[in-house]
Amino acid sequence: MQIRQASIEDIPSIMQILDDARNFQRSQGFIQWEDGYPDTATIRSDITTSNARVFLSDGKIIAYVYLSVGDNSYDKLKDAWLYDGSYGVIHRLAVSAGIRGQKISSALFSLIEDDYSAKGIGIVRVDTGSDNKIMQHILEKNGYEARGLKSFDWGSRLAFEKRL
């Protein structure tokens, strides 16, 4: 598996993966992403910032993530974090239905962390919905520390942090 910067040509594959993720959320009894979010305009914007990534297996796109450096909403929660310094934030992580359940989350997180490390960033933060038990388990399994339920600009979410 490998990670690379996403391109405009990847948008149809990315949108299918995001649709798969929204459907999976609903099958698990929760909605973290409202219908239509993230939309094509959001993904196009992600790509133009050069922070959008796709994961490939055998040359096929199998997952998507947006990796920001810092985030204004996270900055507002200064008391929530254990570590000071430059940090990255994992946004919009989604995997295709075809690979879900194949226990590749650790490989995805390793590639994400390598991407941030290559930029000299040693702290990674992420949030997820309180109903998203699968993502909470994945984060804890990969060494992310729970920082509690926090109020982000997009709603209440469980916050996690990891020092690389």
Side-chain angles (χ1 to χ4, degrees):
M1 186 177 350
Q2 59 188 12
I3 187 172
R4 71 161 166 79
Q5 188 170 320
S7 68
I8 296 297
E9 292 77 25
D10 297 328
I11 289 176
S13 296
I14 293 167
M15 295 311 297
Q16 181 59 57
I17 289 168
L18 294 171
D19 286 343
D20 289 348
R22 278 189 289 274
N23 290 334
F24 182 72
Q25 290 172 1
R26 282 148 184 78
S27 77
Q28 297 299 301
F30 70 94
I31 298 173
Q32 183 165 320
W33 293 340
E34 297 296 326
D35 288 331
Y37 175 85
D39 61 9
T40 302
T42 300
I43 301 309
R44 186 176 296 277
S45 176
D46 288 356
I47 291 169
T48 62
T49 67
S50 299
N51 293 320
R53 301 288 185 270
V54 290
F55 300 87
L56 304 160
S57 178
D58 297 324
K60 182 180 177 190
I61 296 173
I62 60 165
Y64 174 78
V65 70
Y66 178 70
L67 303 177
S68 71
V69 176
D71 186 292
N72 289 335
S73 190
Y74 280 69
D75 290 343
K76 293 175 186 175
L77 304 172
K78 294 187 186 315
D79 63 330
W81 311 114
L82 293 173
Y83 309 111
D84 291 326
S86 181
Y87 66 93
V89 179
I90 299 169
H91 287 294
R92 297 185 274 288
L93 177 61
V95 299
S96 81
I99 60 133
R100 193 171 290 113
Q102 294 182 18
K103 302 191 182 285
I104 65 159
S105 63
S106 293
L108 295 176
F109 275 89
S110 179
L111 290 168
I112 289 168
E113 292 164 8
D114 289 348
D115 192 287
Y116 277 128
S117 291
K119 295 176 184 164
I121 295 170
I123 302 165
V124 180
R125 296 175 180 157
V126 61
D127 67 88
T128 192
S130 57
D131 293 332
N132 194 341
K133 303 298 184 197
I134 293 171
M135 181 57 87
Q136 292 168 43
H137 170 75
I138 289 168
L139 290 167
E140 291 169 359
K141 179 177 87 170
N142 285 282
Y144 286 77
E145 300 174 65
R147 302 302 305 142
L149 190 63
K150 304 297 177 188
S151 182
F152 290 90
D153 292 343
W154 45 88
S156 293
R157 299 283 191 269
L158 292 169
F160 291 81
E161 181 178 42
K162 180 179 181 178
R163 175 169 277 184
L164 302 180

